[in-house]
Each structure stands twice: as structure tokens, then as C-alpha cells.
Amino acid sequence: MKSDDRPHDVAALGDEAQAESTFAALATPLVDEALAHNASIHADATPESLHQLRVALRRLRSLWWAYRPLLDKAENTRQRALYRFLADAAGRTRDWDILLELLAGKSDGSGESANVRDVPASLREARERALATSRETLINADIRNVLHDALASTSKELNTAPERHALRKFAAKRVRIAEKSLRKRMRKALRAKRADYAVLHDVRKSGKRVRYLIEFFGPVLADAGHGRTLRRLKNMQQCFGELNDVIASVALLRDNMNLFASEDEAREALAFLKGRRKERQCEAVRLLQKA
């Protein structure tokens, strides 16, 4: 089951729709999606199922960010921190999957890709240990009840609030704020040194937030240009996501150099990943310059 990145049908709620009463219609499909992916992880933890769970939880975090002005600040912060914690739990195994995929595709010098069997078994064993930890964390977190309770309590808070906000106006304002933050981070990244991965990562996070908000509220946003923005953000996410994958893999490999049979083998793998990181970074910078 892949994440549904189509705009939610909030337009069906009418021109007089209120932001408060629309929240549950937006959040419920995301909660259901996260729980479905969580269930599939316990049955068969494929790299895709782990990735899709993390995406669903990130989308939930972005939705709670969108509604932050209408919610209790401390509770909203706690909820978003919880989604990040759960996403990170799935992400730890996903990071191993990415590292293994990158190393399995390493060129052996003859122009041919190395076979997955060339990846040390100790790395695959480490991935399985990470998976066991991820599963245990998600089980202990009681994710089903956690997400349903969060949905119920937030919906109640919004629906019992004394003030009401027009959905169209509320959505447009939140998207504008997210877009302004993205432009600011893009300018900072272009001014930064080429090796400043942190600012590029900030661009990636801001871009995802804008994309998710447009997908949430797209049908009620008056600006027809959001369709073009969405396509541009998807391209950016692809490029910056690949860069982030390599950066995470470099960090993970550095922390686990002892899993290789020899120091030379570990250094060779690290050098390969650094080369990939440089390539991806140059692509990300070129994309920013064209934006």
C-alpha cells in the first residue's frame, strides 16, 4: 500500500467549510494509512513498508503543524514530537536498507555493478537487529491507540473551540507561511558553503512541508499556480532525498566500520559513499540555482 499523495477532497465540504471541522477528514486517512503500514511491517518488513510508514507519520506531523495556531501549543508540540519519534523508529531500519542498497550497487571497477552477495553478511545481520528494535519500539508505543487517541483529542479540541476559521483563508495563510520559510532556507543554502549539508537538509524538510500542505488543502487554494509548485517540489524532494540518503549512509557506515572484515574494505566502502555524496550534493545545488 503506497501513500496517497493526491489532494484530499476538502473541496467537497463547500465554500463555507471551517478549518476546525475539516481536521478529522484530513487526519483520518493518514492515521489509517500509518496503521496499515505498521501492520505490514510486523508481517513482512520490506524496505518499502518501512519507508511508507515513515512518510505517513511525517505527513501527520505536517498536518499537526498546519493546525498549530488553533491548538494548545504544548500539546501540539508533544504530538508532533511523538510522530517524529515513531518515524525515527521505522527510519533506523530504513537507513540500513538504504546503506545496503547503495553498497550492493557499487561499481567493482569493471563497469559492472557488484552483486548484493558482496555486501558483508555482518551488515545484513545489523539490519535485522535494527528491525527487531524498530518492531519492539513500535509495539511498545502502542501506535494504534496512540494515533486514535491523538485524532480524537485534537478533533475534540478543535470542534469545541469558541472561535471558527474559514478553511479557505486558514489554508492559504498556512501555505504562505510554509512557502516563505522554504524560500528563506533556499536563499540560505545558496549562500552557504558547498559542504554545508545541514542547510540543504533544512531545504528538504521545508519543501516537504509545503508539498504536504498543498496536497492537504489544494482543492480550496485559489492560486492555480500551486499545481506547478507541487510538481517542482516533487522533483526537489527526489533530488534532495537521494542526497539525504547518502549522507545518512555515510554516518551509519562510519559508526559501524568494525562490521567489515578489514579496515581497507571499510575505507573502500566509505570512499565510494563519499563520492556518491559529492555527486548528489552537486545535483542539489544545481537544482537550487535553477529554482
Side-chain angles (χ1 to χ4, degrees), residues 182-199:
L182 173 59
R183 288 193 295 270
K184 179 179 178 180
R185 292 179 186 275
M186 290 173 67
R187 289 194 296 270
K188 183 178 179 181
L190 287 172
R191 293 194 301 266
K193 295 180 180 178
R194 292 179 63 84
D196 195 337
Y197 303 118
V199 294

Side-chain angles (χ1 to χ4, degrees), residues 115-134:
N115 190 282
V116 69
R117 289 191 299 271
D118 292 332
V119 175
S122 56
L123 294 184
R124 296 195 293 272
E125 291 167 0
R127 188 266 184 189
E128 293 307 310
R129 291 193 294 272
L131 172 60
T133 301
S134 293

Side-chain angles (χ1 to χ4, degrees), residues 45-63:
T46 64
E48 184 64 16
S49 64
L50 288 160
H51 173 63
Q52 293 301 332
L53 173 60
R54 190 158 59 166
V55 170
L57 290 166
R58 285 171 174 170
R59 286 163 64 84
L60 279 168
R61 193 164 183 260
S62 293
L63 182 61

Side-chain angles (χ1 to χ4, degrees), residues 83-127:
Y83 301 143
R84 181 171 185 172
F85 167 76
L86 295 173
D88 287 346
R92 282 189 288 272
T93 305
R94 173 63 176 164
D95 288 345
W96 276 105
D97 287 328
I98 293 169
L99 174 60
L100 294 176
E101 291 168 3
L102 286 170
L103 293 180
K106 181 176 62 172
S107 173
D108 62 7
S110 64
E112 299 294 330
S113 293
N115 190 282
V116 69
R117 289 191 299 271
D118 292 332
V119 175
S122 56
L123 294 184
R124 296 195 293 272
E125 291 167 0
R127 188 266 184 189

Side-chain angles (χ1 to χ4, degrees), residues 253 257 260 262-273:
L253 191 149
M257 300 280 278
F260 288 84
S262 68
E263 183 176 344
D264 287 344
E265 186 179 353
R267 291 187 179 279
E268 179 188 355
L270 184 60
F272 164 72
L273 291 180

Side-chain angles (χ1 to χ4, degrees), residues 4-279:
D4 182 2
D5 60 0
R6 294 172 299 176
H8 293 262
D9 194 15
V10 293
L13 298 174
D15 292 339
E16 301 302 321
Q18 298 171 345
E20 289 80 1
S21 58
T22 304
F23 173 81
L26 292 169
T28 299
L30 297 178
V31 168
D32 291 343
E33 184 180 327
L35 294 178
H37 291 307
N38 185 55
S40 69
I41 286 172
H42 296 297
D44 182 18
T46 64
E48 184 64 16
S49 64
L50 288 160
H51 173 63
Q52 293 301 332
L53 173 60
R54 190 158 59 166
V55 170
L57 290 166
R58 285 171 174 170
R59 286 163 64 84
L60 279 168
R61 193 164 183 260
S62 293
L63 182 61
W64 256 258
W65 179 89
Y67 275 83
R68 185 170 62 178
L70 308 183
L71 297 169
D72 176 78
K73 182 177 180 180
E75 179 62 14
N76 182 262
T77 299
R78 189 189 74 82
Q79 292 288 357
R80 295 182 63 240
L82 176 61
Y83 301 143
R84 181 171 185 172
F85 167 76
L86 295 173
D88 287 346
R92 282 189 288 272
T93 305
R94 173 63 176 164
D95 288 345
W96 276 105
D97 287 328
I98 293 169
L99 174 60
L100 294 176
E101 291 168 3
L102 286 170
L103 293 180
K106 181 176 62 172
S107 173
D108 62 7
S110 64
E112 299 294 330
S113 293
N115 190 282
V116 69
R117 289 191 299 271
D118 292 332
V119 175
S122 56
L123 294 184
R124 296 195 293 272
E125 291 167 0
R127 188 266 184 189
E128 293 307 310
R129 291 193 294 272
L131 172 60
T133 301
S134 293
R135 280 173 165 163
E136 182 179 6
T137 299
L138 294 171
I139 290 172
N140 291 338
D142 192 12
I143 187 172
R144 174 173 292 277
N145 286 328
V146 164
L147 294 185
H148 281 306
D149 288 349
L151 174 58
S153 63
T154 302
S155 296
K156 180 179 180 180
E157 180 183 354
L158 290 168
N159 290 327
T160 58
E163 189 176 0
R164 289 289 180 267
H165 299 79
L167 174 62
R168 190 180 300 275
K169 184 176 180 180
F170 173 79
K173 183 176 181 180
R174 296 304 286 163
V175 170
R176 282 198 305 271
I177 291 173
E179 289 178 328
K180 181 179 179 180
S181 176
L182 173 59
R183 288 193 295 270
K184 179 179 178 180
R185 292 179 186 275
M186 290 173 67
R187 289 194 296 270
K188 183 178 179 181
L190 287 172
R191 293 194 301 266
K193 295 180 180 178
R194 292 179 63 84
D196 195 337
Y197 303 118
V199 294
L200 292 173
H201 185 56
D202 286 341
V203 171
R204 175 175 174 260
K205 290 190 296 183
S206 293
K208 284 193 296 186
R209 176 178 290 168
V210 173
R211 174 186 170 180
Y212 294 155
L213 263 61
I214 292 176
E215 290 172 348
F216 293 150
F217 301 123
V220 298
L221 295 174
D223 185 1
H226 283 304
R228 293 189 296 273
T229 300
L230 196 56
R231 290 190 293 272
R232 190 164 61 249
L233 288 172
K234 288 181 179 180
N235 291 334
M236 179 184 293
Q237 270 190 262
Q238 178 70 25
C239 177
F240 279 68
E242 290 173 356
L243 171 62
N244 185 70
D245 286 347
V246 181
I247 291 173
S249 293
V250 168
L252 186 58
L253 191 149
R254 277 176 169 162
D255 289 341
N256 293 275
M257 300 280 278
N258 62 308
L259 295 180
F260 288 84
S262 68
E263 183 176 344
D264 287 344
E265 186 179 353
R267 291 187 179 279
E268 179 188 355
L270 184 60
F272 164 72
L273 291 180
K274 286 182 176 179
R276 292 291 296 272
R277 182 181 64 185
K278 183 177 181 180
E279 293 172 2

